[in-house]
Amino acid sequence: MLIFLLRRIGTMILTALCLTFIVFWLTNLSPNLEKVAKSELGARITDAEVTSWLDKNGYNDPTILRYGQWLGVLPGWTRTDADGAITGRCIPAGADAQAAAAAPTYCGVFQGDWGFSTVFRRDVSEIIARSLALTGRLMLAVLIVMIPSALILGVLAGMREGSRTDRALSTVSIVTTATPEYVSGVVLIAVFASSAVGLKWFNGSATSAMDGITFANFTLPVLTIALYGMGYIARMTRASMTEVMTAQYIRTARLKGVSFPNIVMKHALRNALIAPFTVIMLQFPWLLNGVVITETLFNYKGFGWTLVQAAGNNDIELLLGVSVVSVFVVLITQLISDVGYVFLNPRIRIS
Amino acid sequence: MTETYDGPLLEIDRLSISFFTRLREIPAVMDFSAKIMPGEALGLVGESGCGKSTVALGVMQDLGVNGRIVGGSIKFKGRDLCTMTPEELRKVRGKEIAMIYQEPMASLNPAMKIGRQLAEVPMIHEGISEAEAMQRALEVVTDVKLPDPARILGSYPHQLSGGQQQRIVIAMALMSKPSLLILDEPTTALDVTVEAAVVELVKDLGKKYGTSMLFISHNLGLILDTCDRICVMYSGEAVERGSIEDVFDKMRHPYTQALFRSIPLPGANKNDRPLISIPGNFPLPHERPKGCNFGPRCDYFEAGRCDAQDIPMSLIDGDDRHQTRCLRQDEIDWKAPIAKAITKTKGEIGPVVLKIDNLKKYYEVAANALFGGGDKKVVKANETLSFEARESETLAIVGESGCGKSTFAKVLMGLETATSGTILVDNREIQSTAIQDRTTKDVADIQMVFQNPFDTLNPSMTVGRQIMRALEIFKYGKNDAERRDKMLRLLDVVKLPRAFADRMPRQLSGGQKQRVGIARAFAGGARIVVADEPVSALDVSVQAAVTDLLMEIQREQKTTLLFISHDLSIVRYLSDRVMVMYLGHVVELGSTDQVFQPPYHPYTEALLSAVPIADTSVQKKHIVLEGDIPSAMNPPSGCPFQTRCRWKSKVPNNLCETTVPEQVTLAPGHQIKCHLSDADLDSMEPVITIAAE
Amino acid sequence: MEPLSWTGSVGVFLNPLLGIAAAIFAILVIAQMVMSLFAAPVTLQSNADGTLVARAGALGTVENLLRYLVFALVLIVLAYIITGIVLPYGQTGILGAMSKRFLPIWVALILTFGLSMMFKRKLGLYGKLFDSTIGMIGFGLVMFWVYTAIFSALFGWIETFDPLGQPSDLFIAKAMKNAFPGAVFGTGTEGTFPHYLLGGDTLARDIFSRMVAGSAIVIQIAPLATLFAFMVGITLGLPAGYFKGRLDTLLSFLANLILAFPVILLFYLLVTPEIVDTGIPSFMAVVLFVFPIVFFAVLLNSRYHTQPKVRTPLLIVVLGALGWLYLSLVSQDGTVLHFMPGGLDLFDVPPGILVVFVSVVFVNAPTVFRIVRSLTLELSTRDYVAAAQTRGEGSWYIMLWEILPNARGPLIVDFCLRIGYTTILLGTLGFFGLGLPPESPDWGSTINAGRKLLSQFPHGALAPALALLSLVLGLNLLADGLREESLKD
């Protein structure tokens, strides 16, 4: 078990390194850097000025070295100008020589130095912490709504395959899987928050939820995310449940005289929930998608909104930070899914 | 309760069951009647699709969404099961009637500990406490002769072997001491020696608990071993029923007779007394003929009479409740000798074609498959195999799962390469040439017929194309027209109509698919054919025909046939020499007569005793092996068979547990791998004796 | 001219009917579900004459009522469509006008269904689809949009106005800006179509026409992109599942790498003008579009390598044609990869579309890879694979001709689902304004444009949203029907 865990974590770290490197490389391609230079110095600068600015700010080192510096495993660059002023990755801008000398050699993600956002003019780590907290609240609400309802829907539908309940519930889940967040969000807002229909039950924007969550401002975003994921999980649960219900051991239980509710609860449920568990965990990259769309749609300044701002405004450091966090969230959920699967499934656990 | 009830325990009267599909109603069982008295065991026998399992499910009232009882009644202790409410049914199921099925692994809940699954039964039906139920479970598990019952109760199903799982399923059925036990092919998924032990157990427990049994099987031998009465089914109807002795020795239905003539009994022999297969095919449920269902395939068929109207069951005078569904039962001369089939001359055994010398095949596997890493383990799949096979010779390789016969086939075919030793085909070494590197001729020379007919053909290619592809690969013919011609001739050889060339495999029956498989194997004029249990998945009546076909082609083409099987009856029937394998070792090798007569290797002896024989005149010595076959991953020290050998005590110095025995030559061509002294070997008695008539 | 109401004069009768029927239907469905939870399962008994006993009691009544209600609902909806076609323009409101506009599609749908039903027993899996209600509904929805796309892209039959251009008359343009559904265009006598059926957007363009034109973009890209993703996934998944070992480990690792990437992040990284300038998407296109060529080359070679006389010319023809297409596709004016002389370059794809296409293929391929890999793992244990091996067939023949055809059932089902997913992805791209030009009428972009005014003028975003929903729903239902029918064998 320990070996298995170590191997999984090893693979996970390798994946994380690969992915962050790809993101680093893509965000640090020369057109992006030129754009940064232009936004710092004004759009009318010459190519030579761009090159010298890039050179001065350490952007001309090979990508792999700069990736190391960003990670914090290579010493940050330092450069002494013609007039003797020392600049460097780890040296705050405008610091004097003394401060420059005292600055740490390494400053990267490992040291907790995530860089500085050019759009928000604040530290990346601060922005991410704030936006993660906001998104965390949203996700928690989503999970609380989505998972129980999806599982109930799936189990009820899969309990008696082909029955009308099954067909009705399956149709519901198919419809929700066919409704991406930007469709359900639009429909929900149009129906429940627009002046055109007139049922102004909820707010069409969740900006106010950042300060205090109310039923009116949080319901629609939560529903929007939960609906799309719910159908998928429900269908997986249903498929798993129908498969289990036709298994020989369920027939054995029935012929032992176990009553139908007991068959479902005692014999089928545990076996039927193994597959959806993995699905729920693997849903996280998707949920992240939903979060980005929903936060944009409802103007909720959480993690997804930050991602869009960072990417849309070529805010390299912030985008890197956001990518690292989202990649890690995904990888950790995958790890949990693997480990949880082993725990849920006695067939694997013991052997 | 109706404890005082003393009529028949189960009384099925003119039962008809149908399945309803979108297109039509499919009658699965028609006009079926049976009666089981308390303490009696009834065997239900028939080929696949004859409706025997449907009867069992009908008794359990568990026919699924599409199945309906459309007529007749099923009375259990005088109460009609069909009119019971679900609540009443639940009280009967598990408590009074218990059922055991084919796949033990699938019958147990994988996520529940054995103990809880067992304890559940009395907790539901008798309302006893969990502790009490667990105590009961412990007793019953001890009764089914499982080692270390306490540990087993605390484990999950997948931690047990197939034989142990089946014992647990039996234990579960017996938990509430039911009065009727239904067994649906309970041993089909098990190895022969394990099967014998399970059957033994069922018999003993049936007596001990006084349980009546409904035993469903396709194997007449098993029914003979276990039951008092038998009912033969054909295409949804019972065609004959009566006591075992009556039906086995004085059968009064042509189908029963044909069935017995198509199974290899000890007296049969491929040259002088060949098997007689039943002509034609099993009718599909919606294509049943009018009148007698067996009519079109019956030797005694009389047009205008047998196909005129439905035929009722009729009593046979003088016998005990012996009935048959045949109009001509009084007219047929049941004692008439089997029409003498043309005696076939045996092919002349030619020169050595295949010579295996000291062949070894080891695999390295990770000790822990899922989590990876850890130590590598060596699995010795084949250990020092040495033998020869000649032209026109049939060499049978006999053994149970894990004995290494499939690995050997893979090495011979070139799908794997040998670890050491040599394989000589016509004096060319091929043991280390993988199939990609073999010449087309070598590949075409060694071909294989596979076990599972439903898996052997590519489901999305027509039969003709598949044979033609083989011809193409073997570089036969210049163009498609020539190959097509040859393909049609091959279909003739395997006795399939030429029209089958354009059919898809799903339109063929199991036996027909197997014929196509044979045609494909012989497409390149194969000289050595490995037949891996080619008929074990087929119905009895088809087995004979496919076996005969193989023999016939072999005679004509002088093929060397390596016949892999676990079924000793068929091996005795068709092979010239026999090689018995156990856990990678050849434990005995000799001519068929030598192997089937003492002295035996102790394993051969047990194997012979384990195979059920459907002949009342055969006396078998009763040898039941303890335990299961050890895993090849973790073989015992010394002699591979020592953990289960009943002769072990005769060998001094604990030799069996420490050293692997040498190959001993007992007679010219007869070798065994055993420590037993000559005196002990000579003292062995024959396992099978045929009582004088 | 009067602005159109939703249902016009027929609505007076039909609307209340529809409302009542729908309400009762909803109540009954819920009631039935609740009751069935407590009801006993149907017993196995049948009547003496072989007919089945119908469920009795309240639940049985509810079930019967529901059956009639479904029938009634369908009839009412049909009434809307038919009155719309039959009655003169204007009388039947917006719905009627739209159903008149969709007339060619109704005809095409009726023909398709009629012909398919007639020959359904000869059409294999496609024919069996017509045994499943769910599958038929799904197929109908999908074909509705397919025909809309074909008729509007090829003949311009369906749309009522230019989907891209604003009205030239400034006065009218001002009036039509954010106009509500059914608004009169100008005075209604300009010689154009008299109404904006689904209203106007912020730039005073006709939403109905944009929605119709948007279908053409989706129907062009989504299936093709999915097809390419399948080619990539199959070409890599088969060897991974068949050879196992290191190759499998490596490919699976790469697939998981892509799958661990949140899709939106990937899009933001790939589909920006800066990245397009570097040529990375073009190089990805070079790599991804090679796979179909490899696939067909291996497919034909493995089948015919025993007959060089057939094989060589066949390969030359097929690979020549595919290669030419490939080079034309890859070589683009104005990008880093521009090497084909103008005369030989058959076509140029607009760079925005190419980038979208490549990234959608890139995102989908790993999932297909995983499915194909697991199917291959399962199928390679079959005896017919072993039989092919013992005849000395090449590995690629076994993978492509023995394994792949037998994996087709699950793959076809997944193909349908994946087209739906690709449609959603395309919408996502449009929603974030990535890739396609902002004036493009595709559904995602239109939703994005409409969402800012959602609380006052929801119709701008609602129409494309519902269109996308119905197409994806159709694909999902179709997949469900196909799965059900293919399992019945």
Side-chain angles (χ1 to χ4, degrees):
Chain A
M1 186 66 207
L2 197 68
I3 296 172
F4 164 71
L5 209 63
L6 286 179
R7 281 169 65 101
R8 287 294 310 151
I9 292 174
T11 322
M12 190 184 120
I13 292 172
L14 187 63
T15 314
L17 283 178
C18 290
L19 284 180
T20 47
F21 179 73
I22 293 170
V23 176
F24 188 88
W25 174 65
L26 282 173
T27 47
N28 280 279
L29 285 168
S30 55
N32 288 332
L33 295 178
E34 279 165 29
K35 210 171 149 196
V36 171
K38 281 178 184 158
S39 68
E40 290 292 310
L41 298 178
R44 287 163 192 276
I45 56 170
T46 61
D47 285 356
E49 279 172 307
V50 169
T51 323
S52 86
W53 185 87
L54 290 178
D55 200 36
K56 237 166 76 183
N57 285 290
Y59 284 119
N60 273 352
D61 292 343
T63 312
I64 185 80
L65 290 185
R66 297 197 19 248
Y67 176 65
Q69 293 176 12
W70 174 80
L71 269 184
V73 293
L74 291 177
W77 56 270
T78 52
R79 186 163 282 103
T80 317
D81 280 359
D83 53 358
I86 300 175
T87 53
R89 178 181 162 81
C90 308
I91 301 165
D96 55 16
Q98 209 179 355
T105 331
Y106 298 94
C107 54
V109 175
F110 288 158
Q111 282 77 29
D113 191 342
W114 293 65
F116 191 76
S117 157
T118 52
V119 175
F120 296 99
R121 298 279 159 204
R122 260 188 287 169
D123 272 345
V124 169
S125 43
E126 188 193 324
I127 302 171
I128 289 183
R130 192 180 127 74
S131 58
L132 263 186
L134 286 173
T135 300
R137 269 191 268 168
L138 182 63
M139 288 291 252
L140 188 69
V142 168
L143 293 182
I144 290 173
V145 173
M146 179 175 80
I147 292 177
S149 47
L151 292 184
I152 291 173
L153 212 65
V155 169
L156 284 184
M159 208 164 71
R160 288 209 177 97
E161 194 189 1
S163 68
R164 271 161 199 269
T165 316
D166 176 22
R167 269 184 236 154
L169 294 181
S170 298
T171 313
V172 170
S173 37
I174 289 182
V175 172
T176 65
T177 45
T179 322
E181 292 87 355
Y182 51 87
V183 170
S184 56
V186 162
V187 173
L188 287 176
I189 293 179
V191 174
F192 294 114
S194 79
S195 51
V197 176
L199 288 176
K200 298 187 91 172
W201 291 353
F202 304 109
N203 290 2
S205 145
T207 319
S208 58
M210 291 190 291
D211 303 320
I213 295 173
T214 62
F215 188 63
N217 63 23
F218 220 47
T219 309
L220 288 189
V222 168
L223 267 187
T224 304
I225 305 179
L227 270 182
Y228 187 43
M230 189 178 80
Y232 189 70
I233 300 177
R235 287 179 75 181
M236 287 294 147
T237 316
R238 176 189 174 270
S240 168
M241 189 72 188
T242 48
E243 196 191 315
V244 168
M245 286 307 281
T246 52
Q248 187 82 275
Y249 58 84
I250 293 296
R251 172 171 270 178
T252 312
R254 196 163 59 230
L255 299 191
K256 275 200 285 195
V258 183
S259 65
F260 188 76
N262 268 336
I263 288 179
V264 174
M265 300 304 290
K266 279 195 186 162
H267 288 267
L269 215 52
R270 177 164 176 191
N271 289 302
L273 288 186
I274 296 173
F277 172 78
T278 339
V279 172
I280 293 171
M281 284 299 157
L282 296 180
Q283 272 274 341
F284 264 83
W286 278 30
L287 282 181
L288 218 60
N289 244 357
V291 165
V292 177
I293 294 170
T294 311
E295 289 186 355
T296 311
L297 191 62
F298 288 91
N299 209 15
Y300 182 80
K301 292 180 177 130
F303 189 72
W305 185 83
T306 313
L307 189 152
V308 173
Q309 295 305 317
N313 295 307
N314 201 34
D315 189 341
I316 295 179
E317 306 256 278
L318 183 58
L319 186 56
L320 270 172
V322 169
S323 317
V324 172
V325 172
S326 50
V327 164
F328 261 91
V329 168
V330 170
L331 290 178
I332 286 173
T333 51
Q334 282 182 359
L335 186 72
I336 296 176
S337 130
D338 282 358
V339 175
Y341 184 74
V342 172
F343 266 101
L344 272 178
N345 199 342
R347 255 182 284 191
I348 294 176
R349 197 187 341 163
I350 315 287
S351 60
Chain B
M1 293 303 292
T2 48
E3 293 298 334
T4 50
Y5 177 78
D6 57 356
L9 187 70
L10 183 75
E11 198 175 2
I12 303 175
D13 187 36
R14 306 186 65 87
L15 178 71
S16 293
I17 299 176
S18 289
F19 288 95
F20 293 84
T21 68
R22 229 169 357 186
L23 297 177
R24 55 172 87 83
E25 171 187 348
I26 297 173
V29 174
M30 293 156 305
D31 188 26
F32 179 90
S33 306
K35 211 182 273 181
I36 301 179
M37 303 303 282
E40 199 176 58
L42 171 68
L44 203 53
V45 85
E47 297 173 271
S48 54
C50 72
K52 54 192 194 301
S53 294
T54 311
V55 170
L57 292 176
V59 172
M60 293 308 271
Q61 297 285 315
D62 190 48
L63 290 166
V65 194
N66 300 323
R68 299 279 191 283
I69 293 173
V70 290
S73 67
I74 307 169
K75 284 206 179 74
F76 177 74
K77 291 189 175 169
R79 293 181 298 159
D80 192 346
L81 288 168
C82 303
T83 54
M84 281 193 185
T85 64
E87 203 49 36
E88 286 171 315
L89 262 180
R90 248 177 10 84
K91 284 189 184 133
V92 172
R93 291 173 175 170
K95 166 91 179 106
E96 311 231 18
I97 310 179
M99 188 161 173
I100 295 169
Y101 335 74
Q102 197 170 15
E103 290 280 334
M105 183 66 203
S107 312
L108 294 171
N109 187 338
M112 213 186 217
K113 288 193 176 154
I114 304 257
R116 278 195 54 206
Q117 297 194 43
L118 289 176
E120 198 180 34
V121 184
M123 281 165 69
I124 296 169
H125 293 296
E126 295 162 39
I128 60 177
S129 72
E130 179 155 5
E132 216 175 316
M134 277 300 197
Q135 192 52 44
R136 170 99 59 92
L138 198 67
E139 284 162 27
V140 180
V141 171
T142 319
D143 270 356
V144 294
K145 295 182 187 149
L146 279 171
D148 199 357
R151 186 185 59 83
I152 284 191
L153 286 185
S155 44
Y156 286 100
H158 65 95
Q159 292 167 295
L160 309 181
S161 70
Q164 289 176 326
Q165 285 169 355
Q166 194 59 297
R167 282 164 194 261
I168 290 296
V169 174
I170 293 170
M172 190 151 74
L174 295 172
M175 277 303 283
S176 263
K177 307 202 165 50
S179 22
L180 177 65
L181 191 59
I182 302 177
L183 302 104
D184 188 357
E185 306 259 8
T187 55
T188 311
L190 304 177
D191 273 315
V192 196
T193 53
V194 181
E195 173 186 61
V198 169
V199 167
E200 175 80 12
L201 175 79
V202 168
K203 256 162 61 180
D204 289 351
L205 289 179
K207 285 203 187 76
K208 177 173 171 187
Y209 288 82
T211 315
S212 304
M213 280 192 279
L214 178 60
F215 196 106
I216 298 169
S217 180
H218 65 277
N219 189 329
L220 284 165
L222 264 184
I223 299 281
L224 172 65
D225 280 354
T226 47
C227 298
D228 309 313
R229 301 182 58 80
I230 179 174
C231 173
V232 182
M233 284 187 81
Y234 179 80
S235 191
E237 289 176 330
V239 291
E240 182 167 3
R241 65 167 173 267
S243 69
I244 292 279
E245 294 75 27
D246 287 343
V247 176
F248 272 63
D249 298 335
K250 296 191 290 176
M251 66 265 299
R252 284 294 175 272
H253 193 279
Y255 174 65
T256 321
Q257 189 186 46
L259 205 56
F260 275 97
R261 287 183 178 174
S262 66
I263 53 177
L265 294 173
N269 175 301
K270 65 174 162 179
N271 297 315
D272 323 323
R273 239 196 82 191
L275 300 182
I276 300 164
S277 55
I278 306 177
N281 276 315
F282 201 78
L284 291 172
H286 52 92
E287 289 168 1
R288 289 191 183 118
K290 198 171 172 335
C292 179
N293 282 343
F294 188 61
R297 302 173 74 187
C298 182
D299 289 341
Y300 310 104
F301 179 71
E302 195 183 312
R305 197 165 143 218
C306 292
D307 56 2
Q309 77 280 320
D310 285 348
I311 295 158
M313 286 294 252
S314 54
L315 263 172
I316 293 153
D317 297 333
D319 288 345
D320 170 35
R321 289 179 289 153
H322 186 184
Q323 290 176 301
T324 176
R325 199 183 287 275
C326 183
L327 287 177
R328 305 190 57 201
Q329 55 143 314
D330 297 328
E331 303 159 26
I332 298 169
D333 177 11
W334 296 101
K335 291 259 188 260
I338 303 168
K340 190 82 178 166
I342 313 133
T343 313
K344 286 159 186 159
T345 43
K346 187 170 164 25
E348 207 44 43
I349 304 271
V352 173
V353 176
L354 177 71
K355 187 170 160 57
I356 314 282
D357 194 28
N358 261 319
L359 183 77
K360 287 183 185 169
K361 176 68 193 171
Y362 295 172
Y363 289 102
E364 268 196 4
V365 290
N368 196 328
L370 176 74
F371 302 128
D375 304 327
K376 289 264 198 277
K377 261 196 169 172
V378 173
V379 173
K380 299 178 177 177
N382 284 154
E383 187 72 282
T384 55
L385 247 62
S386 303
F387 65 90
E388 294 172 352
R390 294 162 178 274
E391 196 180 84
S392 298
E393 184 182 49
T394 307
L395 173 69
I397 305 176
V398 177
E400 297 173 276
S401 59
C403 74
K405 50 193 182 179
S406 311
T407 308
F408 167 69
K410 276 188 185 161
V411 176
L412 178 62
M413 307 299 304
L415 299 179
E416 307 263 1
T417 50
T419 311
S420 72
T422 50
I423 300 178
L424 292 171
V425 173
D426 293 339
N427 279 322
R428 272 168 297 137
E429 288 196 13
I430 56 160
Q431 72 279 2
S432 353
T433 323
I435 189 143
Q436 303 90 294
D437 307 323
R438 291 191 180 177
T439 60
T440 309
K441 187 178 176 321
D442 273 349
V443 173
D445 271 357
I446 311 176
Q447 278 296 301
M448 186 150 172
V449 177
F450 292 87
Q451 173 177 15
N452 187 347
F454 300 96
D455 223 27
T456 181
L457 299 180
N458 183 343
S460 36
M461 215 189 267
T462 61
V463 166
R465 270 247 67 87
Q466 299 197 39
I467 300 177
M468 278 163 74
R469 176 69 195 179
L471 291 168
E472 221 173 285
I473 279 290
F474 298 146
K475 304 212 167 71
Y476 178 92
K478 287 197 249 338
N479 49 33
D480 262 10
E482 271 182 41
R483 280 188 284 270
R484 189 171 170 82
D485 189 52
K486 168 79 177 173
M487 179 267 292
L488 292 175
R489 275 184 285 133
L490 277 169
L491 285 181
D492 296 344
V493 170
V494 294
K495 302 193 174 102
L496 285 176
R498 287 188 166 201
F500 275 36
D502 299 317
R503 296 220 183 146
M504 293 307 260
R506 69 181 131 78
Q507 296 165 289
L508 271 57
S509 71
Q512 291 165 340
K513 282 183 197 168
Q514 208 57 319
R515 284 168 192 264
V516 177
I518 292 171
R520 191 178 56 185
F522 281 93
R527 298 183 48 221
I528 302 171
V529 168
V530 181
D532 185 0
E533 311 238 12
V535 296
S536 66
L538 300 177
D539 272 319
V540 184
S541 66
V542 186
Q543 275 186 8
V546 174
T547 318
D548 269 359
L549 175 71
L550 259 179
M551 297 287 99
E552 203 177 307
I553 300 180
Q554 179 193 27
R555 248 189 305 269
E556 278 164 19
Q557 312 216 350
K558 295 188 183 303
T559 320
T560 307
L561 191 63
L562 299 184
F563 191 90
I564 299 179
S565 178
H566 67 270
D567 182 351
L568 283 174
S569 311
I570 200 127
V571 164
R572 184 211 320 257
Y573 170 68
L574 59 75
S575 60
D576 301 310
R577 286 197 303 139
V578 179
M579 179 163 105
V580 183
M581 289 183 77
Y582 189 78
L583 281 185
H585 293 260
V586 176
V587 294
E588 183 163 0
L589 173 67
S591 72
T592 308
D593 288 341
Q594 285 167 336
V595 172
F596 279 82
Q597 266 154 30
Y600 311 104
H601 184 278
Y603 175 61
T604 316
E605 184 192 26
L607 210 52
L608 278 171
S609 156
V611 177
I613 298 170
D615 191 335
T616 46
S617 62
V618 165
Q619 300 282 317
K620 256 193 328 184
K621 222 164 87 185
H622 206 72
I623 302 163
V624 173
L625 290 183
E626 294 287 318
D628 282 326
I629 304 164
S631 147
M633 296 268 284
N634 201 0
S637 62
C639 173
F641 189 58
Q642 53 106 341
T643 49
R644 302 167 79 198
C645 183
R646 68 183 191 121
W647 293 84
K648 197 168 129 188
S649 56
K650 304 252 181 189
V651 177
N653 301 336
N654 214 5
L655 210 55
C656 294
E657 286 179 25
T658 49
T659 22
V660 181
E662 288 298 312
Q663 193 85 260
V664 189
T665 306
L666 294 179
H670 189 201
Q671 300 164 323
I672 70 169
K673 227 181 218 182
C674 187
H675 288 304
L676 281 176
S677 65
D678 288 349
D680 285 328
L681 287 171
D682 286 342
S683 72
M684 282 188 176
E685 293 162 1
V687 175
I688 299 169
T689 44
I690 302 173
E693 304 223 346
Chain C
M1 276 298 234
E2 289 284 299
L4 293 177
S5 67
W6 277 103
T7 48
S9 52
V10 289
V12 180
F13 308 104
L14 289 178
N15 291 357
L17 263 179
L18 183 71
I20 294 167
I24 300 177
F25 181 75
I27 294 168
L28 282 183
V29 166
I30 293 167
Q32 190 248 351
M33 262 192 237
V34 173
M35 284 160 86
S36 71
L37 279 186
F38 301 104
V42 196
T43 50
L44 304 172
Q45 246 354 68
S46 63
N47 294 331
D49 56 353
T51 56
L52 306 183
V53 181
R55 206 197 274 268
L59 188 54
T61 325
V62 169
E63 280 184 359
N64 280 333
L65 269 178
L66 266 177
R67 210 165 296 145
Y68 292 126
L69 265 176
V70 171
F71 194 58
L73 280 173
V74 171
L75 272 185
I76 296 173
V77 172
L78 272 181
Y80 278 116
I81 294 174
I82 291 169
T83 51
I85 297 170
V86 175
L87 293 180
Y89 180 85
Q91 272 198 20
T92 48
I94 299 172
L95 286 182
M98 282 206 294
S99 83
K100 205 187 273 297
R101 203 63 204 167
F102 282 129
L103 185 62
I105 293 162
W106 302 134
V107 174
L109 277 180
I110 289 168
L111 279 179
T112 315
F113 270 78
L115 285 175
S116 308
M117 294 281 238
M118 252 162 76
F119 299 109
K120 73 175 174 183
R121 292 281 159 247
K122 291 180 189 161
L123 293 172
L125 184 60
Y126 168 77
K128 282 209 204 110
L129 190 62
F130 292 87
D131 290 334
S132 143
T133 323
I134 291 275
M136 281 204 294
I137 296 174
F139 183 70
L141 281 172
V142 173
M143 287 321 284
F144 176 85
W145 287 111
V146 170
Y147 284 133
T148 308
I150 292 174
F151 291 152
S152 91
L154 295 185
F155 313 115
W157 281 351
I158 314 294
E159 57 254 59
T160 47
F161 289 90
D162 175 10
L164 297 180
Q166 292 162 264
S168 47
D169 187 325
L170 279 179
F171 183 72
I172 298 177
K174 195 154 180 266
M176 299 321 288
K177 186 177 168 190
N178 290 326
F180 279 99
V184 182
F185 182 81
T187 56
T189 50
E190 273 81 0
T192 58
F193 198 78
H195 296 94
Y196 268 14
L197 288 176
L198 291 177
D201 66 3
T202 39
L203 294 174
R205 293 170 299 196
D206 178 35
I207 292 174
F208 176 74
S209 305
R210 284 179 69 74
M211 180 184 84
V212 168
S215 72
I217 297 181
V218 172
I219 296 288
Q220 272 169 33
I221 299 180
L224 206 59
T226 314
L227 192 67
F228 272 86
F230 263 75
M231 294 281 184
V232 177
I234 289 173
T235 319
L236 295 177
L238 282 174
Y242 185 73
F243 294 120
K244 308 185 188 84
R246 278 169 208 279
L247 180 77
D248 181 26
T249 316
L250 178 74
L251 288 175
S252 297
F253 178 75
L254 288 178
N256 287 335
L257 209 63
I258 300 171
L259 286 175
F261 233 114
V263 178
I264 293 208
L265 189 61
L266 201 67
F267 283 161
Y268 260 117
L269 291 175
L270 283 181
V271 195
T272 53
E274 290 80 31
I275 302 274
V276 176
D277 284 345
T278 61
I280 289 175
S282 308
F283 289 117
M284 284 172 67
V286 170
V287 175
L288 289 178
F289 295 158
V290 161
F291 281 99
I293 301 185
V294 174
F295 178 81
F296 281 109
V298 178
L299 184 79
L300 295 174
N301 184 49
S302 63
R303 172 71 183 79
Y304 291 108
H305 74 97
T306 46
Q307 300 155 269
K309 268 187 219 147
V310 184
R311 188 255 324 248
T312 316
L314 191 70
L315 274 184
I316 289 174
V317 170
V318 172
L319 291 190
L322 283 177
W324 194 6
L325 285 175
Y326 169 73
L327 291 174
S328 311
L329 189 65
V330 166
S331 158
Q332 292 283 329
D333 278 339
T335 62
V336 213
L337 286 173
H338 177 57
F339 50 83
M340 290 280 278
L344 285 179
D345 200 346
L346 292 176
F347 50 85
D348 268 334
V349 183
I353 297 217
L354 186 75
V355 177
V356 167
F357 198 86
V358 168
S359 43
V360 169
V361 172
F362 188 68
V363 168
N364 271 322
T367 325
V368 180
F369 164 83
R370 291 228 291 212
I371 297 169
V372 175
R373 176 182 166 271
S374 66
L375 284 170
T376 312
L377 276 175
E378 188 199 319
L379 288 174
S380 55
T381 59
R382 298 298 170 90
D383 275 351
Y384 52 83
V385 172
Q389 285 168 341
T390 56
R391 318 195 269 275
E393 295 278 11
S395 306
W396 281 103
Y397 176 87
I398 296 176
M399 284 183 247
L400 290 168
W401 293 93
E402 303 277 347
I403 294 177
L404 189 59
N406 296 306
R408 66 180 186 277
L411 286 183
I412 290 172
V413 171
D414 187 70
F415 187 72
C416 290
L417 281 178
R418 204 146 289 283
I419 296 177
Y421 183 59
T422 310
T423 309
I424 291 179
L425 282 182
L426 289 175
T428 312
L429 280 169
F431 182 78
F432 287 108
L434 293 170
L436 297 164
E439 75 277 4
S440 150
D442 75 287
W443 294 336
S445 308
T446 322
I447 296 174
N448 185 32
R451 75 181 160 98
K452 279 143 200 153
L453 295 168
L454 212 47
S455 44
Q456 289 99 50
F457 306 108
H459 55 272
L462 216 47
L466 292 179
L468 190 138
L469 169 63
S470 63
L471 174 60
V472 179
L473 180 64
L475 284 162
N476 284 4
L477 292 176
L478 178 64
D480 221 51
L482 283 174
R483 180 187 355 240
E484 216 167 85
E485 291 305 315
S486 68
L487 282 182
K488 273 186 187 155
D489 282 339

